Amino acid sequence: MHPKARIHADPAAPEPDRIDGLPDSLVLLILNKLEDVHSLGRCAAVCRRFSDLVPLVHDVYVKIDRVVAVDGDPDDALNLSPPKPRHIFSHLLKLMLFTIAKPFHGMRGPGGAGGGRPLFPRLAQHSPVQVLRGFSHVRNLRVELPSGDVGTEEGVLLRWRARYGSTLQSCVILGGTLVDRKPAGAAGHEASAAEDGGSMPESFYTNGGLKLRVVWTISSLIAASTRHYLLRSIVKEHPTLRSLVLADADGQGTLCMGAEQLAEFRENRLAALACSNRTQVPACSMKLKYAPYLELPGGLGLQGATLVVIKPSSDGAGGCHVGRKETEAFVSGAFDGPFRFAAKALMKRRTYLLEMNGF
C-alpha cells in the first residue's frame, strides 16, 4: 500500500502581494473614486505606500454628520453637545476639521504601536486648512452640510444654487408653497400661460405671496453668503482647486465655484461684513417668474411655483459680467429631476423685474 501524499506550503516561498504589484497610477485612480475622506483615512492607515499616495488624490468629499457648538476658548477640545443655532455658522469650520481629521486621528508614525508620535496632533489645535494641507493635490472638493440653512414649513419647496467668485455672480431660487401628489387618473389643472395670460393674480400681492418670495430670496442669499465666507481660507490655501461645491444633505442649497471663479476669488479681496460671519451681498437685479400651479413628472404638482433669477447689478458685479446665455445655461442646469422640469417651464412665463440693494 502506497502512503498518502501530503502537500505542504513552502514557507520559503510566500504568496506574492498582488496589491503591491499594482502601479501607483492605478492605485491613485481607485483612491480618487473613493473620494470620501473617511474612507481615504482608513486606506492611509493600511500601509506606508497608501499613506504616501492618499495625499496625492484629486477628488475629496467631506460629509459633515452633525454641527457642533464650541463655547469658550477656541483651543478647547471640541464639544459634541447638541448644536446651538446661533453657533452653527461661526463654528462650522471646527466641525469640518473634526470630520476631516477623525479617520486620521489614531494614526501614528514609525516606532511601534505606542512609541510613535501621532501623525495628526491634538485635533482642536488645528484649522481645516492645516488638516487639508495633508492633501496636496486636491482639485475637486465637495463638502456636505447636515441640513439646509433656511427653515420652511412642511410641504414647502425651497431650492437654490449660487455661483460665487470673490462675490456673488449668479443665483437661482426655485420655490413653491406646496408639493403634492396628484391622484392617479385625476384631471390636470395646470394653468397655462395662454389661459392666465402669464400674469400674477391680484391675490398674489394682497395675501402675502410676494412678501413670502422676498423672504425666500433674502434668506437664501444670506445662507449662500455665509457659506462663501466660511470657504475663504480653504480656497486661498489650495491653489490646485479647480472645483468646489458646498451643499447640504437636504438638497436645499448649493454653492459652487469653478476654476474661473476660484482664480477670481484669490485675486480680489472679499467684502466681508464686520458684524456677521458672511460676505456682503451686492446690489442685485432679479427676474421673478410665477405659475399658480405646475404639473411635474412622476405625478407631482407644485402650487405657487416661483423662479427667481438673480444677478449683481452692473455697478455691483465686481467687474465680472455674466452673459445672458451663460445665465440661462446656469438656470437650466441648477436642479435635477422634476425640479429641472419646473425651472424650464417657469422660464417660459412672464418676467417681473425687481431691484434689491446690497446688504
Side-chain angles (χ1 to χ4, degrees), residues 31 36 78 81 88 90-91 100 110 119 138 153 165 168 170 197 208 212 243 286 289 294 297 313 320 341-342:
L31 292 175
D36 177 56
L78 291 178
S81 59
I88 285 179
S90 61
H91 298 296
I100 294 170
L119 296 182
V138 178
E153 296 181 0
L168 177 69
S170 54
L212 177 62
S243 172
M286 300 182 290
K289 298 171 182 288
L294 282 180
S313 302
C320 179
F341 176 89

Side-chain angles (χ1 to χ4, degrees), residues 9-20:
D10 185 0
E15 182 71 19
D17 191 334
R18 300 186 184 278
I19 294 181
D20 283 344

Side-chain angles (χ1 to χ4, degrees), residues 118-173:
L119 296 182
F120 288 85
R122 188 169 175 261
L123 185 63
Q125 295 178 351
H126 292 264
S127 69
V129 175
Q130 290 174 308
V131 174
L132 283 173
R133 282 182 186 144
F135 297 93
S136 56
H137 291 69
V138 178
R139 296 180 182 176
N140 306 301
L141 175 62
R142 293 190 301 125
V143 180
E144 182 180 291
L145 303 177
S147 62
D149 309 313
V150 183
T152 58
E153 296 181 0
E154 185 177 357
V156 172
L157 169 71
L158 181 61
R159 296 285 188 273
W160 60 265
R161 187 177 183 90
R163 180 169 54 195
Y164 268 82
S166 61
T167 186
L168 177 69
Q169 291 187 358
S170 54
C171 180
V172 57
I173 301 170

Side-chain angles (χ1 to χ4, degrees), residues 184-239:
H189 57 287
E190 176 184 2
S192 67
E195 293 172 349
D196 61 11
S199 302
M200 292 184 183
E202 186 67 25
S203 59
F204 184 82
Y205 302 97
T206 59
N207 66 359
L210 179 60
K211 179 180 178 180
L212 177 62
R213 273 68 179 182
V214 172
V215 171
W216 286 350
T217 301
I218 294 176
S219 300
S220 298
L221 288 173
I222 290 176
S225 63
T226 302
R227 296 186 186 187
H228 182 238
Y229 179 84
L230 294 173
L231 295 173
R232 66 196 189 284
S233 298
I234 293 176
V235 172
K236 290 185 177 181
E237 294 295 328
H238 288 78

Side-chain angles (χ1 to χ4, degrees), residues 250-272:
D250 294 338
Q252 184 185 88
T254 302
L255 183 148
C256 60
M257 301 174 73
E260 182 179 346
Q261 288 75 35
L262 288 165
E264 194 257 336
F265 183 100
R266 298 184 184 101
E267 294 172 0
N268 296 281
R269 183 177 180 181
L270 292 184

Side-chain angles (χ1 to χ4, degrees), residues 323-335:
R324 178 180 177 181
K325 290 185 177 180
E326 186 178 354
T327 300
E328 290 179 353
F330 177 73
V331 172
S332 62
F335 309 106

